[in-house]
Every structure is written in C-alpha cells, then in structure tokens.
Amino acid sequence: MYRILVLFVLVSFNAMGQSTDGSLYGAVTTYSGEPLPWATVVIEGTRHGVQTDEAGRYRIKGVSKGKYRVTVSYIGFKTLTKAVDFKGGQGGVKLDFSLTENTQDLDEVTVNGKTKKTQQETKGFAVNAVQTKEASLRNIQTNELLNTTVGVKIRQNGGLGSNVEYSLNGLSGSAVRIFIDGIPISMYGSSFNLNSIPPSMIKQIEVYKGVVPGHLADDALGGAINIQLHQEAKNTLNASLSYGSFNTLQTSLNGVYRFENSGFTVKASAFHNYSDNDYKVSGRSVVVTGIGGVQTPITARRFNDAYRSTGGMVQMGFTDVKWADQFLLGFTGSDDYKEVQHGAFMTIMPYKDRFMESDAQLINLTYQKKNLFFKGLDLNINGLYGNRDRQVNDTLAWAYSWNGQRAIDFRGNEYQYSWGSQQEGGPTLAKIDRKVASIRTGLSYAIHKNHKVLVNHVYSGIDREDSDALRSVLENTFMGTRDLHKNIYSLTYELNALEDRLKANLFGKYYHQKTVSTDPAIASDPEGNDVVVDETVASDKAYEGYGFALSYALLPNITLLTSAEKAVRLPNETEVFGNDGDNVVANPSINPEISNNYNLGFRLGTFRVKKHAFTLTTNLFARNIKDRIGLPLETSLNVNEDLILYVNQGSGTSKGVEAQLEYTYNDNFGLNFNVSRFDLNIENRGMEIDVPNTPFLTMNGSLRYSFRDLIQKKSRLNLFYTMYFTGEFSYLVAQGSNTVGDDFFKVPEQLAQDFGLSYAFPNNNFVLSFDIKNMFDRPVYDNLSVQKPGRAFYLKLNYVFNNF
C-alpha cells in the first residue's frame, strides 16, 4: 500500500514545476533584534497580506510589478510603513522591518491575539508546546529543556549518553512515546536520540499528557513527546561549539539553501558529542574492599563511562512549489560509542572495558501538500527505512573496584570472575542487526471552516537478528530471529462552534501488533536422526481505543480544557525480546497495558496590564491502568542484581494535579514556575501499594532577565536561573510498621540549581553563553544509587549566517 502511495506521489508530480512568481520577503523584529512572530504585513492597495512565522519571517508571493507601500503592525508596537519598488520577474525583494514599542500603554487589561503556541494549548488536550529558540543558544540538552516542563520528569542513569526514561504524570518508560516529526524515535536507533540532537535542530516540542491526538496515532498510554524539526526553507547556516566539564564537547551544524526560481531545496544538519563522564560519585555502593573483606567508603571518579555520538541528516527536494509544499528525500546516519560503568544499578563492583557501539543508516521521505486536489484536502507523508545495529563488547574477566584498580579478595590477591566477563553470563560480542521501517500517512479534509475529518495510519516494523562473534559458527548459523510489526489506524473529527469558543476533537484508534520469535532446536526425525527444527513463539493481537478533547472559552482569555481516552500500550521490542546492551532479559509472555485517562484543567491568560503579562494553567488528571508494564516490585534481596526484567506489575491508578505560572515584564524579565503532585498505586497480591522508585512531587522554576544595549547598541545580555526540586521517594515497597533499614533505600529530597548567561551581539548573529550546572554541587539521583554529575561548567559559541 505504501509503496503504491509513494510511487503515486513521485509519478503524479514528475513534471516538477518551477515557481516563477516573484515574492516579497523579510523579517520583522524589535528594535533590539528580537523576532516578532504573528506580526501583520500588508501591501497597501492590494489583497496581499500575511502574518510572520515563529521566527518573525514572512513571504508574500505573486506580487505584480510596481511601486507599493508595505505596512507592518503588531500589538504594543508602533506601526511602520516602507515604500518598495517591485521589479517583478522570478527574483524576490527582501524588506526587513524593525519596530519600536508603543510607550502609550493602556491602563486596562488587554488580550493579545493567540499565538500558534497558545492556539495549540487551548484545543482541549493536556499539552505543552515547548519553544527551543532560547535554549538553542545555551548549553542545554533537549532532555534538560523537557525536564523543566510541567508534569514531565526526565530520569537519567548518569551523564551524557546514559539511559533515559521519560515520565508524564507518573506514567513512564515505553508508556510515553517519543516521535521525530511523527516517526517513532526508536526507529532511529540509540545513536540518534534526545541526548544527541541539539535544540538548534528543533523547531518545537509538543508534550501530550494522557490523551494523544489521532494525528500522532500510536500506542502511547501515558502520553507522547513529538519533536518537530525545522521545516522552513530560509537560506541560513547555524554553527555551534560547546566545551565544558568532564571533557565534554558538543558541536552542531544546520543549514538550508533554497533556489528561489525553482524551489529546489537542500537541508543538512550534523552533530558530534563527546564526554569522558568522569565525574565524582560517592554513596553506599562506592567502596573499596580490602583484605579480610573490609569495605571502605570513598569518593571516586567514574572511569569507564565515556560517550561519543556523531550523526547527521541530508535532505534534497522541492519546497513551496505548485505540486508540493514539501517534497524531500534524505539520508540519516548516526554512530555512537558508550562505555558501561555498571549494570542497572551502581554496585560495589563496577565494570571495566565493557562498552556498546551502535550505528544507523536510514533513508527518509517527507511529502506535504495543502489543498492537494481541491481546497481543504491536505496530505502528509513521513517515512523511513534502513538498518540499525548494536553490539555489546564484554570480554574482560578481571574484577575491579571503584578506585579503578583491580579488586582483591579477602587474602589480598587480585582475582578474575569465574564466568570470564564483567556481567554474569560469560564473555560476549553480542550483536543485534535490525531492519527497520516506519511510515506515517495523514489525510485531512476541511469540509467547512468549522468541520474537519482526519484519517491517519502509522506502520512500524522491525526484523531483528542476534549473533555473537564469540560463539561457534554452528551456533551463529542457527541463531534465532525476532520480528515485530505494528499498525495503528485513527479516525478524527474536529469541530469549531460558537464563534470558535467551543472546540471539540473526537477520535477512534485501532491497534494491531504481531511478534514472532524463532529459535532453532534439535529434534529427532521418524528414523531417530537429529534434525534442526524451528521453534516459533508468535503473538497476534488487536485492540481498540477512543477518546475526545474539548475546550470552551468562558471568556476570551479563560478556557476550560478537558480530555479523555481509552489508551492501549503494546509491549515494545526490548520488553518482549530483551536487550543485552541494556541488561534486559526477554519476556515473550508479557501482556499489553490498557488505561482510561482523564484530564480537566483551566488556562487563564495571557493577561496584559501595561508591561506585565502572565498566564496560569492547571490540570487535574487520573489514569486507571490495567496490567501496568514495569520492573518487578523490588525488595532488598535483588537490589544489587545486574539484569532487569519487564513484567506486568498489576492494575493501578495515578491521580494528581499540576499547575504552571508564566510571568513576563517588559520583555526583559521572565518567570516560570510549575509543580506536579500525584499518587501512583498498584494492586499487588490483593494489596494496594505505592509504586516504588517513583518521585511523586516535582517542582521547577526559572528566572530570566535581559539587559539591552549593554556594551554595544542592539546587543543583549541574558541571565538565567533554573531550579529542579524532587521530593523524597523510596526504592522499596512499604513494609508496614516495620521500617528498620528503610532509610538505606530512600532517595532524599533534592534541589539542583543551574545558572547561565548569554550575550547576543548586534543583529543576533553571534551568541556567547556560559552555564553552571548543579552550581552548589548537590548529590542528584533519578534512580536509587545511580548518581548524576555534580557541579559542571560549560562555554558555548553560536553563530548564524542568514541569507547567504
């Protein structure tokens, strides 16, 4: 079906028409150089008029030859008019505007027109639209940016490149799906992830909690995070270089070039990250065992935790032509290397020379066209196909201590593990080869300006083969195979009514997943001879889901939001087949989890009083979960094991509340504060217990202040402060009144604080930033005993070449 559809797109538009219309384009900024999104640009005496995009850019096509007056207006700024002599032809004319603020502020509260971010956050879904422009100029990873978002908790096992788990309102792991432009990020492999993708490559991040719209149809039980990469076809080149503590180097390069006459467009981006991750750690597991088995606590540096990732994407095609808004074919490649310091938890015997290597080579397709055959019919296609591989290298038998030296036994002699490797199970060069494919197709039709129907389908397939170079040729010849194929369909109806005060979104989803595990075995034929046969374990399951999102504007700036969904989450590849690199054991009998999710909230604002502006949002949520997938409910008996197994923990509920306040003054001062509090209970063996190893209370806050025209005219100095608070939580299930020894398994409340500054030179082309992470050097843990980096310093240079 998809091959036919893609071929149809290629053949139907093989006459790649060229745009011959001239255009007027440029940017609208403040006097200090800040872009003004959604400003109105009008050519007087004509019907030509547009609004600027999020970056303050505009383009007006089809302008006839002649002399015109062009007017730009924006609330709170003085209207500006310029004259232009438009020569026509195939070229374009660039006309920029710099607006000054209107000092005659009104005394009463004013309500601005809704930005795209506000429009998205007032459709009824519990969603946050996270902007990345400011973060892209600082030394902030995408994960750190998400961690400041209300209701989101990023749980990371260490420093740069370590395993990350995303939690939305208490639901985490694979219950939360991550997408890049609608494609599941798991398809790209571990070397292309949110640890490695710099914010400068990202236009916006959408965070949906509990209820996921049909256009992102997937088995996302707890919510979804959709990374929207930059799609603009403006000629630009962005380069950044960052260096800091633990020998951490991060570089990125992003560029776009579009030929104005033909619309032919080339996009390219690349990144490289490296860190020794040799930060100091301490605690109950960081000890040196001496003669007689005496354990001495120490403060040690991690010595086998280096990380390197390199990747990039190249796309070529056409943009803004008659037959396509976007048609791009491209290649994505990535490679990473990650040393492994310990197993799932920090134990008293760390690893040495255990590491993993991953790579991916993928081709991708993007096609978008509004008003495809007639007005109101829009088509979107995003797909990829390729290979991704991963190998685990563990061949060293010597035991090591946290001081980096070989461990000794009670007699003082160095010793080796009897199984011949760092992790139990024996030496390995285990490799997983995957062929992956995913394509998302979306077709929408606006029946009327108030009625729209959307049909979406996403297919994801993985064909996996395991091998091990240390096994015999015979063993590798008869290694098993693992296949997973998933199809998810959705049908959505959107309604706008009562002069856009009422917005409704109704959707249904159909989930189908098939998994096949094939392993060779020895059997006897009728004559008694040994023969090789395939033992196959297959699963073919289908489920249905449905939901709605509703918003009602009680007043222009007070909106009621509510949504609900019966959501299904199918077990993923790692949970079903296991993964040696992540110390995960296979569980082919694991069941899907199902949840009824509910949200009810308000959005108050944005209110403006003179130069003050503030927005308050709040959301009450509930998740009723059946067969929750997670790690076994732990006891103190297995806390030091290397391997983990995903199981169905049982049925349970998550209930809580979240709130966020945003305040700005005169575009110079900004404050953001949010809090999330919930309970997560599981019914286990007839008893209702709090899910262990879960932080139930989080708070985040940030401050920003800007100094304009400092040192140089039209420059800006920005100061930033961010705090992350996590309440106390325990790794153990509560043991009733018997609390002896419980403190050993508690993660105390934590307060980490960051400080940063950035200096934007005139025209905003060059930005210099400096950041201090965890500036008071507090011990920080997202999981029991796995310590994250302490105080760290980073310097970053960012340069933008525009309109070359």
Side-chain angles (χ1 to χ4, degrees), residues 782-804:
D782 283 336
N783 295 293
L784 178 70
S785 82
V786 184
Q787 189 170 344
K788 297 175 65 177
R791 184 187 297 118
F793 304 90
Y794 300 94
L795 182 68
K796 183 175 183 178
L797 308 176
N798 193 92
Y799 197 88
V800 179
F801 303 85
N802 284 319
N803 299 315
F804 55 83

mmCIF file of all heavy atoms in Angstrom, residues 782-804:
data_model
loop_
_atom_site.group_PDB
_atom_site.id
_atom_site.type_symbol
_atom_site.label_atom_id
_atom_site.label_comp_id
_atom_site.label_asym_id
_atom_site.label_seq_id
_atom_site.Cartn_x
_atom_site.Cartn_y
_atom_site.Cartn_z
ATOM 1 N N ASP A 782 18.286 10.215 39.966
ATOM 2 C CA ASP A 782 16.971 9.947 39.388
ATOM 3 C C ASP A 782 16.512 8.537 39.718
ATOM 4 O O ASP A 782 15.329 8.234 39.664
ATOM 5 C CB ASP A 782 16.999 10.131 37.869
ATOM 6 C CG ASP A 782 16.984 11.604 37.474
ATOM 7 O OD1 ASP A 782 16.513 12.420 38.288
ATOM 8 O OD2 ASP A 782 17.444 11.927 36.369
ATOM 9 N N ASN A 783 17.455 7.659 40.006
ATOM 10 C CA ASN A 783 17.168 6.290 40.396
ATOM 11 C C ASN A 783 18.084 5.919 41.550
ATOM 12 O O ASN A 783 19.165 6.501 41.726
ATOM 13 C CB ASN A 783 17.383 5.321 39.223
ATOM 14 C CG ASN A 783 16.411 5.566 38.093
ATOM 15 O OD1 ASN A 783 15.217 5.360 38.220
ATOM 16 N ND2 ASN A 783 16.933 6.037 36.968
ATOM 17 N N LEU A 784 17.681 4.932 42.328
ATOM 18 C CA LEU A 784 18.435 4.547 43.515
ATOM 19 C C LEU A 784 19.888 4.274 43.170
ATOM 20 O O LEU A 784 20.179 3.499 42.258
ATOM 21 C CB LEU A 784 17.808 3.299 44.147
ATOM 22 C CG LEU A 784 18.540 2.760 45.375
ATOM 23 C CD1 LEU A 784 18.373 3.716 46.546
ATOM 24 C CD2 LEU A 784 18.049 1.374 45.746
ATOM 25 N N SER A 785 20.805 4.898 43.912
ATOM 26 C CA SER A 785 22.246 4.673 43.892
ATOM 27 C C SER A 785 22.936 5.094 42.602
ATOM 28 O O SER A 785 24.162 5.038 42.522
ATOM 29 C CB SER A 785 22.573 3.188 44.174
ATOM 30 O OG SER A 785 22.456 2.401 43.014
ATOM 31 N N VAL A 786 22.214 5.526 41.571
ATOM 32 C CA VAL A 786 22.854 5.924 40.320
ATOM 33 C C VAL A 786 23.004 7.438 40.323
ATOM 34 O O VAL A 786 22.056 8.175 40.031
ATOM 35 C CB VAL A 786 22.040 5.458 39.096
ATOM 36 C CG1 VAL A 786 22.785 5.811 37.814
ATOM 37 C CG2 VAL A 786 21.800 3.956 39.165
ATOM 38 N N GLN A 787 24.203 7.897 40.674
ATOM 39 C CA GLN A 787 24.435 9.325 40.877
ATOM 40 C C GLN A 787 24.678 10.037 39.554
ATOM 41 O O GLN A 787 25.349 9.525 38.666
ATOM 42 C CB GLN A 787 25.635 9.531 41.808
ATOM 43 C CG GLN A 787 25.811 10.966 42.256
ATOM 44 C CD GLN A 787 26.852 11.076 43.371
ATOM 45 O OE1 GLN A 787 27.204 10.089 43.988
ATOM 46 N NE2 GLN A 787 27.343 12.278 43.603
ATOM 47 N N LYS A 788 24.127 11.239 39.439
ATOM 48 C CA LYS A 788 24.304 12.070 38.257
ATOM 49 C C LYS A 788 25.448 13.065 38.494
ATOM 50 O O LYS A 788 25.931 13.205 39.610
ATOM 51 C CB LYS A 788 22.993 12.795 37.937
ATOM 52 C CG LYS A 788 21.844 11.851 37.590
ATOM 53 C CD LYS A 788 20.536 12.587 37.407
ATOM 54 C CE LYS A 788 20.574 13.514 36.231
ATOM 55 N NZ LYS A 788 19.262 14.177 36.005
ATOM 56 N N PRO A 789 25.895 13.772 37.453
ATOM 57 C CA PRO A 789 27.039 14.673 37.613
ATOM 58 C C PRO A 789 26.808 15.772 38.638
ATOM 59 O O PRO A 789 25.683 16.247 38.836
ATOM 60 C CB PRO A 789 27.212 15.259 36.212
ATOM 61 C CG PRO A 789 26.607 14.256 35.299
ATOM 62 C CD PRO A 789 25.450 13.675 36.060
ATOM 63 N N GLY A 790 27.910 16.184 39.279
ATOM 64 C CA GLY A 790 27.881 17.311 40.204
ATOM 65 C C GLY A 790 28.096 18.618 39.452
ATOM 66 O O GLY A 790 27.732 18.753 38.272
ATOM 67 N N ARG A 791 28.723 19.583 40.122
ATOM 68 C CA ARG A 791 28.916 20.906 39.520
ATOM 69 C C ARG A 791 29.704 20.792 38.217
ATOM 70 O O ARG A 791 30.699 20.090 38.129
ATOM 71 C CB ARG A 791 29.638 21.824 40.487
ATOM 72 C CG ARG A 791 29.793 23.256 39.967
ATOM 73 C CD ARG A 791 30.671 24.098 40.871
ATOM 74 N NE ARG A 791 30.068 24.249 42.192
ATOM 75 C CZ ARG A 791 30.623 23.813 43.300
ATOM 76 N NH1 ARG A 791 31.781 23.152 43.247
ATOM 77 N NH2 ARG A 791 30.033 23.998 44.463
ATOM 78 N N ALA A 792 29.235 21.532 37.190
ATOM 79 C CA ALA A 792 29.890 21.483 35.888
ATOM 80 C C ALA A 792 29.789 22.850 35.219
ATOM 81 O O ALA A 792 28.831 23.600 35.444
ATOM 82 C CB ALA A 792 29.258 20.411 35.006
ATOM 83 N N PHE A 793 30.788 23.181 34.406
ATOM 84 C CA PHE A 793 30.872 24.469 33.725
ATOM 85 C C PHE A 793 30.955 24.232 32.213
ATOM 86 O O PHE A 793 31.666 23.333 31.754
ATOM 87 C CB PHE A 793 32.111 25.250 34.181
ATOM 88 C CG PHE A 793 32.181 25.465 35.660
ATOM 89 C CD1 PHE A 793 32.818 24.532 36.472
ATOM 90 C CD2 PHE A 793 31.628 26.597 36.243
ATOM 91 C CE1 PHE A 793 32.893 24.725 37.841
ATOM 92 C CE2 PHE A 793 31.694 26.794 37.609
ATOM 93 C CZ PHE A 793 32.326 25.855 38.419
ATOM 94 N N TYR A 794 30.231 25.070 31.453
ATOM 95 C CA TYR A 794 30.211 24.914 30.005
ATOM 96 C C TYR A 794 30.238 26.280 29.323
ATOM 97 O O TYR A 794 29.584 27.227 29.768
ATOM 98 C CB TYR A 794 28.963 24.157 29.551
ATOM 99 C CG TYR A 794 28.853 22.772 30.129
ATOM 100 C CD1 TYR A 794 28.113 22.552 31.289
ATOM 101 C CD2 TYR A 794 29.488 21.694 29.530
ATOM 102 C CE1 TYR A 794 28.022 21.287 31.840
ATOM 103 C CE2 TYR A 794 29.404 20.425 30.072
ATOM 104 C CZ TYR A 794 28.666 20.224 31.227
ATOM 105 O OH TYR A 794 28.588 18.970 31.769
ATOM 106 N N LEU A 795 30.983 26.370 28.233
ATOM 107 C CA LEU A 795 31.060 27.572 27.412
ATOM 108 C C LEU A 795 30.615 27.218 26.003
ATOM 109 O O LEU A 795 31.034 26.195 25.452
ATOM 110 C CB LEU A 795 32.488 28.123 27.386
ATOM 111 C CG LEU A 795 32.710 29.416 26.589
ATOM 112 C CD1 LEU A 795 32.018 30.592 27.276
ATOM 113 C CD2 LEU A 795 34.206 29.689 26.436
ATOM 114 N N LYS A 796 29.768 28.058 25.410
ATOM 115 C CA LYS A 796 29.230 27.748 24.091
ATOM 116 C C LYS A 796 29.286 28.965 23.180
ATOM 117 O O LYS A 796 28.995 30.089 23.595
ATOM 118 C CB LYS A 796 27.766 27.274 24.212
ATOM 119 C CG LYS A 796 27.143 26.866 22.882
ATOM 120 C CD LYS A 796 25.748 26.299 23.087
ATOM 121 C CE LYS A 796 25.145 25.807 21.768
ATOM 122 N NZ LYS A 796 23.799 25.215 21.963
ATOM 123 N N LEU A 797 29.655 28.717 21.922
ATOM 124 C CA LEU A 797 29.656 29.738 20.882
ATOM 125 C C LEU A 797 28.631 29.333 19.829
ATOM 126 O O LEU A 797 28.602 28.178 19.395
ATOM 127 C CB LEU A 797 31.033 29.870 20.234
ATOM 128 C CG LEU A 797 32.228 30.078 21.171
ATOM 129 C CD1 LEU A 797 33.525 30.099 20.370
ATOM 130 C CD2 LEU A 797 32.069 31.369 21.954
ATOM 131 N N ASN A 798 27.807 30.290 19.409
ATOM 132 C CA ASN A 798 26.775 30.015 18.412
ATOM 133 C C ASN A 798 26.794 31.127 17.367
ATOM 134 O O ASN A 798 26.728 32.312 17.707
ATOM 135 C CB ASN A 798 25.395 29.932 19.073
ATOM 136 C CG ASN A 798 24.341 29.347 18.150
ATOM 137 O OD1 ASN A 798 24.111 28.144 18.139
ATOM 138 N ND2 ASN A 798 23.692 30.204 17.369
ATOM 139 N N TYR A 799 26.887 30.743 16.095
ATOM 140 C CA TYR A 799 26.919 31.742 15.028
ATOM 141 C C TYR A 799 25.905 31.378 13.955
ATOM 142 O O TYR A 799 25.800 30.205 13.560
ATOM 143 C CB TYR A 799 28.309 31.850 14.398
ATOM 144 C CG TYR A 799 28.480 33.131 13.601
ATOM 145 C CD1 TYR A 799 28.918 34.301 14.224
ATOM 146 C CD2 TYR A 799 28.175 33.183 12.250
ATOM 147 C CE1 TYR A 799 29.056 35.481 13.511
ATOM 148 C CE2 TYR A 799 28.311 34.352 11.530
ATOM 149 C CZ TYR A 799 28.741 35.497 12.162
ATOM 150 O OH TYR A 799 28.863 36.670 11.463
ATOM 151 N N VAL A 800 25.166 32.371 13.481
ATOM 152 C CA VAL A 800 24.138 32.181 12.467
ATOM 153 C C VAL A 800 24.468 33.031 11.253
ATOM 154 O O VAL A 800 24.643 34.250 11.369
ATOM 155 C CB VAL A 800 22.736 32.557 12.995
ATOM 156 C CG1 VAL A 800 21.696 32.361 11.903
ATOM 157 C CG2 VAL A 800 22.390 31.737 14.218
ATOM 158 N N PHE A 801 24.557 32.387 10.091
ATOM 159 C CA PHE A 801 24.707 33.088 8.820
ATOM 160 C C PHE A 801 23.333 33.123 8.167
ATOM 161 O O PHE A 801 22.758 32.072 7.868
ATOM 162 C CB PHE A 801 25.678 32.357 7.890
ATOM 163 C CG PHE A 801 27.040 32.132 8.474
ATOM 164 C CD1 PHE A 801 27.272 31.025 9.287
ATOM 165 C CD2 PHE A 801 28.083 32.998 8.219
ATOM 166 C CE1 PHE A 801 28.524 30.789 9.824
ATOM 167 C CE2 PHE A 801 29.333 32.776 8.757
ATOM 168 C CZ PHE A 801 29.561 31.671 9.554
ATOM 169 N N ASN A 802 22.805 34.297 7.921
ATOM 170 C CA ASN A 802 21.474 34.422 7.325
ATOM 171 C C ASN A 802 21.571 34.942 5.901
ATOM 172 O O ASN A 802 22.379 35.825 5.591
ATOM 173 C CB ASN A 802 20.598 35.385 8.136
ATOM 174 C CG ASN A 802 20.092 34.743 9.413
ATOM 175 O OD1 ASN A 802 19.713 33.581 9.422
ATOM 176 N ND2 ASN A 802 20.102 35.501 10.497
ATOM 177 N N ASN A 803 20.690 34.387 5.053
ATOM 178 C CA ASN A 803 20.519 34.895 3.691
ATOM 179 C C ASN A 803 21.817 34.974 2.909
ATOM 180 O O ASN A 803 22.129 35.970 2.275
ATOM 181 C CB ASN A 803 19.852 36.279 3.729
ATOM 182 C CG ASN A 803 18.485 36.222 4.351
ATOM 183 O OD1 ASN A 803 17.703 35.333 4.045
ATOM 184 N ND2 ASN A 803 18.190 37.149 5.232
ATOM 185 N N PHE A 804 22.640 33.915 3.012
ATOM 186 C CA PHE A 804 23.857 33.892 2.210
ATOM 187 C C PHE A 804 23.515 33.565 0.767
ATOM 188 O O PHE A 804 22.480 33.003 0.464
ATOM 189 C CB PHE A 804 24.853 32.884 2.771
ATOM 190 C CG PHE A 804 24.316 31.493 2.917
ATOM 191 C CD1 PHE A 804 24.301 30.633 1.835
ATOM 192 C CD2 PHE A 804 23.815 31.049 4.132
ATOM 193 C CE1 PHE A 804 23.814 29.347 1.964
ATOM 194 C CE2 PHE A 804 23.319 29.764 4.266
ATOM 195 C CZ PHE A 804 23.319 28.913 3.182
#
